[in-house]
Amino acid sequence: MNDNAIPPQRGRFSSLADHALLTRWRRPAPQRLNLALQGGGSHGAFTWGVLDALLAHPSLQFEGLSGSSAGAMNAVVFANGWMQGGREGARLGLAKFWSDVARQMPWGSMTQGEGEAISLSPASKLIANLASYFSPSQLNPFDLNPLRDLLIAQVDFEQLRARSPFKLFVGTTQANTGKLRVFRETELTVEVLLASACLPKIHHSVEIDGEPYWDGGYSANPAVFPLFYDCDSRDILLVLLSPLVREGTPHTVEEIEARIVELSFSANFMREMRMFSHATEFATPGFLTLGKLERRLHKMRFHMIDSSQLPCLHRTETKLIAHTPFLEFLREQGRERAAHWLSAHAGSVGQQSTVDMKKWLT
């Protein structure tokens, strides 16, 4: 035995390799989140801000993203950017997408006010009201859609179908049956994304495999069940654009119509969340009798970032305003809400729910 050799000491690492191995073992694993992203036209810029803040938090990883309409746009652009450049690529991709959206129309001449007080100008409201008396085939016989060119230019659909970094679930509504169809990342095309955001009073129906499709928000805004059944992560973060509680009862014709549209886009989501809450409550508590479904229900952890107390998001007309200052305002609001949630609840991911589903839904 070499007299100069130093024998291993009890309680000490015998080699640098052992030290590195134990360090990795002790290091907490990144927490994975599934994201459920609501749609809402230009209000989706709020979700842009939420995602931007989440991307800046290195301890969070992501597995599945589900969205309809603007939520689907955010999910796909997020995944495409990550595929091309990781976290920073996702942040840059979202910023470019919303900046390009804002350049589509001369919104400065079509709006009045700014920030929370922004609204359509009287002339714009008149035009929008007159347009409601015509069908898309009358107003836009050539089916021109600048969003198509924007998406083709930014999203590499072929590569995303082949190697998406996340599981993607894009909600659409079959126009002839009213059924929800959720497209996966392996099925993604520009037509799928346009279908998910197709408002039939504004756009022509989008045909896929001979079937006409409308906005996914009519049947799921967004679909949460794919994140439950098809993802391993038990944590789902809901990013909501529709107010959970609206102050005041609508009285005017305009207010009533806006509220009816809002309810139609949120009813299926609320019903699905109530199903999760009730199913968990009624799942058999005994260990020996727990089946696969019951075990999964009891392991589910829900979290939520919502846009409550943002008056501008309570007005339906602002969903149409893709004006740069307004979108940037919404992004900052989303960042602030997400930063507050991260400060209060990031440590709960992987541990416990941070939203009381029973209290919220009753």
Side-chain angles (χ1 to χ4, degrees):
M1 180 178 178
N2 186 348
D3 292 337
N4 294 324
I6 300 175
Q9 300 179 40
R10 187 178 298 275
R12 304 279 296 192
F13 298 110
S14 59
S15 70
L16 290 176
D18 290 341
H19 179 272
L21 181 62
L22 190 55
T23 300
R24 285 197 300 271
W25 178 76
R26 284 178 173 173
R27 184 181 301 139
Q31 298 299 331
R32 288 198 301 172
L33 271 177
N34 295 317
L35 304 177
L37 311 178
Q38 275 194 339
S42 297
H43 294 179
F46 175 90
T47 303
W48 166 27
V50 171
L51 295 175
D52 195 64
L54 295 178
L55 285 164
H57 204 277
S59 70
L60 293 179
Q61 297 292 337
F62 309 95
E63 181 184 3
L65 290 82
S66 178
S68 291
S69 196
M73 301 286 173
N74 276 319
V76 170
V77 171
F78 179 102
N80 184 77
W82 189 294
M83 178 181 67
Q84 296 176 341
R87 287 177 181 273
E88 189 59 25
R91 298 180 77 180
L92 292 173
L94 287 165
K96 184 179 188 307
F97 172 77
W98 286 102
S99 296
D100 288 350
V101 166
R103 284 196 286 267
Q104 297 300 314
M105 294 186 69
W107 288 104
S109 61
M110 300 172 65
T111 60
Q112 58 186 11
E114 56 185 37
E116 286 191 284
I118 196 169
S119 64
L120 291 173
S121 66
S124 297
K125 289 182 180 179
L126 178 61
I127 293 172
N129 184 56
L130 290 174
S132 66
Y133 291 96
F134 299 90
S135 70
S137 59
Q138 293 172 307
L139 287 174
N140 185 9
F142 299 106
D143 194 17
L144 301 176
N145 190 341
L147 188 57
R148 179 191 300 274
D149 295 333
L150 189 160
L151 289 169
I152 290 174
Q154 183 168 349
V155 178
D156 190 335
F157 288 96
E158 182 177 359
Q159 286 298 311
L160 205 53
R161 288 193 297 270
R163 58 185 188 94
S164 173
F166 311 113
K167 297 173 182 177
L168 299 175
F169 308 93
V170 175
T172 63
T173 303
Q174 294 179 344
N176 292 345
T177 65
K179 293 179 180 179
L180 167 68
R181 178 173 177 183
V182 177
F183 287 88
R184 290 297 305 272
E185 65 277 4
T186 54
E187 305 171 285
L188 273 180
T189 64
V190 68
E191 300 301 325
V192 167
L193 264 191
L194 293 175
S196 186
C198 176
L199 295 173
K201 287 189 175 182
I202 300 175
H203 305 294
H204 292 248
S205 299
V206 178
E207 190 169 298
I208 302 173
D209 298 329
E211 181 79 32
Y213 286 89
W214 287 352
D215 196 299
Y218 291 116
S219 52
N221 192 27
V224 180
F225 69 88
L227 302 175
F228 174 80
Y229 288 109
D230 297 325
C231 294
D232 295 324
S233 172
R234 301 295 80 194
D235 289 87
I236 297 178
L237 174 60
L238 310 168
V239 183
L240 307 186
L241 300 179
S242 297
L244 297 176
V245 178
R246 177 178 285 281
E247 298 295 332
T249 303
H251 295 290
T252 67
V253 171
E254 182 179 3
E255 290 172 344
I256 292 170
E257 288 181 348
R259 184 58 174 156
I260 289 173
V261 171
E262 189 174 71
L263 290 173
S264 70
F265 271 80
S266 61
N268 287 306
F269 167 74
M270 296 297 288
R271 188 179 301 115
E272 186 177 8
M273 296 311 300
R274 188 171 290 109
M275 179 276 296
F276 277 117
S277 179
H278 288 174
T280 303
E281 185 177 346
F282 281 93
T284 307
F287 175 76
L288 294 178
T289 56
L290 280 179
K292 182 178 179 180
L293 178 62
E294 287 85 359
R295 289 197 301 271
R296 179 163 288 201
L297 282 167
H298 281 290
K299 290 180 179 178
M300 288 302 299
R301 295 177 291 269
F302 284 99
H303 315 276
M304 182 172 66
I305 297 174
D306 75 286
S307 58
S308 60
Q309 299 178 344
L310 263 180
C312 61
L313 296 192
H314 293 196
R315 291 183 285 122
T316 302
E317 70 174 64
T318 58
K319 293 181 179 181
L320 302 174
I321 301 177
H323 185 31
T324 297
F326 181 55
L327 297 182
E328 291 178 346
F329 167 77
L330 293 180
R331 178 197 62 195
E332 291 308 309
Q333 293 297 314
R335 277 178 177 168
E336 289 181 14
R337 297 292 175 92
H340 176 76
W341 181 84
L342 286 166
S343 176
H345 301 301
S348 297
V349 177
Q351 303 297 321
Q352 61 184 7
S353 293
T354 58
V355 58
D356 186 339
M357 296 287 291
K358 189 173 182 179
K359 181 179 179 181
W360 167 39
L361 293 168
T362 56

